Amino acid sequence: MLNNINPEKGMEFGLYTLGDHMTNPVTEKKISQEQRIKEIIELGVLADQAGIDAFGVGESHQTHFVSQGHTVILGALAQATKHIKLQSSATVLSVSDPVRVYEDFATIDLISGGRAEIVAGRGSRVGAYHLLGVDLQDYDDIFEEKLELLKLLNESQDPINWSGNYRKPLENAEILPQPTTGSIPLWRAVGGHPGSAIKAGYMGVPMMLTTLGGPAVNFTPAVSAYKEALSVSGYKVDDFPLGTTSLFYVGDTTQGALKDMYPYLNQGTKLLRGSDYPKQQFANAVDYRDALMVGDKNQIIEKLLYQYELFSMQRFSAQIDLGGMPFDKLMKNVEIIGQDILPAIKKHTKRK
Amino acid sequence: MNIVLLSGSVVGSNTKAALTYVEEILKNKAPNATITFLDLAQYDVRFSDGRHYFEYEGDTKFVAETLMAADIILIGTPVFQASIPAPLKNIFDLLPVYGLRDKVVGILATAGSQKHYLVMEQQLKPILFYMKAHIVPTYVFIEEKDILRKKIINDDTLFRLDRLVEDTFDLREANAFIKEKKEAEFDF
């Protein structure tokens, strides 16, 4: 299967951060940018030690976020970790040059011994576009063109000849350095909407689908649309992995998990979307059929296996640090994931 | 309590006249409330391009954030081309999907004749419901003949507007009570 996925080993489990840097709503204290970045690196190291499969860092370029230089942080992680796959979550490709992105990730790949992955997305906020001077009007076309170019750079070893509408042509361009195996796992970040899922399928780029909350079954149309588009485009559907992502918090008890997570989830929602997270909706989220990952370890395992039945995904990635979740709580989550959740889901999803 | 009066058109005076009367009632009834009169004719609001409402700039950001901070919104709107005016529709496009959750919305409409009295029922209410507003069921429909030189001259209209404000406050109180009771079930 593409993207170095081996289904025989069972579903992969990853962690990712968007680099939230917010005042802790409980203690009303805010850690420094330096400390926050170091904690992200530390979290990646702990995830590596806990046997977690992948760790992602994303960029946002606006208030409340600290990881704009996500490739630099991934570089530090490449040096500090041993086994874990290192991905972006996501790289806002529309505001960067694909050549530059490829060079950066090829470098991370070489430092880490072949563990780099690119997750390319359009970004769900406008900050990056404003700051980096990209016209929002064209953002759809710009992204498609850049992703196509990135895919081309990734697939060919020879000098590149390419021309498009939003970037000067490449003539016999040699892209250096080249990654360990000559290419890097590439994913397309997709929000819940089937529109982008279809585009991932037509272009033949594995999909990383965000399923932040609500009934998990609501995301099946996006997954089916992706597979159908792959098949229409002549790709072998079974070669293409699927990743899903969601917000995540595991506690010792259900009540404890709800109580711990709510202030941070609510703050994150308020600052990033402009309204409170409704308490009733959050209370309902512990049901195994809801996509939001909150509960005790058994509920989380049940949710993951239920979603595996729905989507047959090859990787699930958890965002555990939304809204300024403090580091001690993150460490505890990594511990429970490594000790209890990973072994359980691997056991049930391994293919014989 | 945070009350916003939204005049949904950039032309005409009847809607504004009716909302100004409502503003007076509100001031007497809720002297401690914060009352903001948003007359779209006074603001340069751009068309929605899909970003989060607080990521706009200038008037657009101000109008959207003012509405999002409201507990009660009283919408006044004329009827144009058998529909609500485009500036008012744009306001809804600027706000999040469930942007009116937990807000109580009352409606008054002004029009040249009775011909389009169902526009509120068939066009405005579905939008408000979709955005999760609590809507005061009865709205006030005001015709040209009820207003003379920016003053309401029909007693029936005046009584109905009084009643609209009363019903709006009652619905707000009831919903705040229900929400509080519901949230008391949770310990987070």
Side-chain angles (χ1 to χ4, degrees), chain A residues 113-149:
Chain A
R115 293 185 281 128
E117 297 190 359
I118 305 173
V119 180
R122 302 192 296 196
S124 57
R125 289 172 280 276
V126 298
Y129 291 83
H130 287 323
L131 195 63
L132 300 169
V134 173
D135 194 347
L136 266 176
Q137 207 65 43
D138 300 325
Y139 90 121
D140 232 2
D141 291 340
I142 290 177
F143 179 74
E144 298 306 320
E145 180 176 303
K146 288 189 172 184
L147 186 57
E148 248 165 14
L149 173 56

Side-chain angles (χ1 to χ4, degrees), chain A residues 42-52 80-84 334 338 342:
Chain A
E42 184 60 25
L43 187 66
V45 171
L46 291 174
D48 187 34
Q49 289 164 356
I52 288 171
T81 57
K82 292 190 173 65
H83 309 289
I84 199 163
V334 170
L342 270 183

